[in-house]
Every structure is written in structure tokens, then in C-alpha cells.
Amino acid sequence: MEKIYHIGVEATLDVIGGKWKPIILCHLGKGPLRTGELKRRIPAITQKMLTQQLRELEADNIIIRQVYNQVPPKVEYSLSNEGKTLRHLLVAMSEWGEKRVQHLQAQGDNVALISKGHEGYLNF
């Protein structure tokens, strides 16, 4: 059956929509990571949700899962060439979010941004 999108943003959100996928992609934009490293960088995500999101991103050819034949087993995730095309979108989202936090802080809202800047994934 043909999948129909009414606007382009639907196709984008179909692949990277949700709370966790853009965050995972930003971390992978800084270089390949193992599952445990991703979990440490995103402490609020459950292991089950992380695994599910990684599988979906892999199925959509946005990330690559590299399995190393060694003991103990080693699995590493990285952005695919298709995933790297999301760079401008992720940078724009990050810049918007940083400005949003600054605006909220200026209004007196109790909000903080732990990691300022997105330089880590500007060069992929």
C-alpha cells in the first residue's frame, strides 16, 4: 500500500519524530557510540526505549549498527550517509532551542541548559 504524506514535515517526523530520536542523532553526530555510552549521555531514557529508537533509526537507514566479532561483544552506532544529511535540521533545532532557553531565562523562568553549543556535530 502506498504511504501518503500531506506535507513534507510529515515524512521528516515519520523518521525522526518523537522525544528521543533527535537527541540520539545529535549525540551520534559527534561520532560513533556504544549503547552504554548513549545511555550515559541520555540518562532520562530507559534502556528499552533506547533500544527501540536505535532499531527504528537503523530500519530507516539513518544510523549504522556495527557489530565487532570479539569477546565480550561490541556494538557501535554511527550516522549513515543518509543520517548525516540531517545535519542542518539538527543544528537549526539546537540553535532554536538555545534561543528559547535564553528567552525563558530572560522572562525569569527557572530553566537551564546544561550543554550549550552544538559544535560537536557541525562537522559531520
Side-chain angles (χ1 to χ4, degrees), residues 58-92:
E58 182 184 11
D60 286 326
N61 298 311
I62 301 301
I63 65 171
I64 298 167
R65 181 177 186 262
Q66 175 69 46
V67 180
Y68 296 90
N69 189 17
Q70 65 184 48
V71 177
K74 178 181 174 182
V75 177
E76 216 171 48
Y77 294 92
S78 60
L79 292 176
S80 67
N81 287 335
E82 183 75 11
K84 290 177 183 178
T85 66
L86 292 166
R87 175 190 175 275
H88 297 294
L89 178 63
L90 296 171
V91 169

Side-chain angles (χ1 to χ4, degrees), residues 26 30 90-106 111-122:
C26 286
K30 297 174 185 176
L90 296 171
V91 169
M93 289 173 66
S94 186
E95 289 173 342
W96 188 91
E98 290 167 14
K99 289 177 186 173
R100 173 78 173 152
V101 168
Q102 290 173 353
H103 174 74
L104 293 172
Q105 289 170 336
V111 62
L113 181 62
I114 294 173
S115 179
K116 295 179 181 168
H118 42 270
E119 298 80 21
Y121 54 95
L122 284 176

